[in-house]
Amino acid sequence: MKFDAIDKKLLQLLQTDSKQTNKELSNKLNLSVTAVFERIKKLENNGVINKYVALVKKEKIDKSFVAFCHIKLSQHIQEYVVQFEKDVAKLTEVLECHHISGDYDYLLKVMVKDMEAFREFMVEKLTNISHIGSTHSMFVISEVKNTTAIPV
């Protein structure tokens, strides 16, 4: 799908605040409300806009401890990869799981209440997943940048 300047601006505006009304967007884009509605529908129908979500402030729900975990599988064979991915997808503490290149096979972003909750997650959940050869965890000291907006 090709994007013109208005599509790009519309995507930027929606990524900043998706609760804006079509009327508010139309004023910012100098378009009619109908034109804005049609452009949004086109972006949704083409899968460019995947879904609308509320971004929750982690400190307000007592989940401010963030860790990144490198995972190395004991063997990198299809059966182990498929099973690991299925198992890790069930862990609510894991916000992101990326299959990566390099010394480790996966990078997980984990969010829990505190260090004690992280230890509990590691001991009771993560290490119970089959075929994990080793892990290496790093803890966030401070968040410098965190955005969900993708430049267009």
Side-chain angles (χ1 to χ4, degrees), residues 73-124:
L73 298 181
S74 56
Q75 287 185 305
H76 206 267
I77 60 175
Q78 184 178 2
E79 175 190 341
Y80 291 4
V81 168
V82 169
Q83 189 60 51
F84 173 80
E85 291 178 2
K86 189 184 301 182
D87 291 342
V88 82
K90 296 175 189 171
L91 301 176
T92 57
E93 297 88 348
V94 176
L95 300 184
E96 299 176 25
C97 175
H98 302 274
H99 196 175
I100 59 173
S101 63
D103 292 336
Y104 288 88
D105 300 313
Y106 291 92
L107 177 64
L108 309 181
K109 181 178 181 180
V110 178
M111 187 179 293
V112 292
K113 179 181 179 180
D114 52 23
M115 178 63 89
E116 185 178 322
F118 181 74
R119 183 183 186 289
E120 184 178 311
F121 163 77
M122 289 296 289
V123 171
E124 295 181 15

Side-chain angles (χ1 to χ4, degrees), residues 11-12 25 27 38 51-52 56 63 65 69 86 97 104 109-111 116 126 145:
L11 286 169
Q12 289 171 345
L25 292 167
N27 289 334
E38 289 171 355
K51 62 183 170 181
Y52 298 91
V56 177
K63 300 277 179 150
F65 190 86
C69 302
K86 189 184 301 182
C97 175
Y104 288 88
K109 181 178 181 180
V110 178
M111 187 179 293
E116 185 178 322
L126 190 63
K145 180 180 179 180

Side-chain angles (χ1 to χ4, degrees), residues 22-33:
N22 288 350
K23 176 71 174 152
E24 291 170 318
L25 292 167
S26 72
N27 289 334
K28 293 175 182 176
L29 296 169
N30 294 320
L31 293 175
S32 70
V33 174

Side-chain angles (χ1 to χ4, degrees), residues 38-50:
E38 289 171 355
R39 282 179 181 265
I40 291 172
K41 278 294 163 216
K42 180 180 78 173
L43 292 167
E44 290 171 346
N45 292 337
N46 284 300
V48 176
I49 296 175
N50 188 32

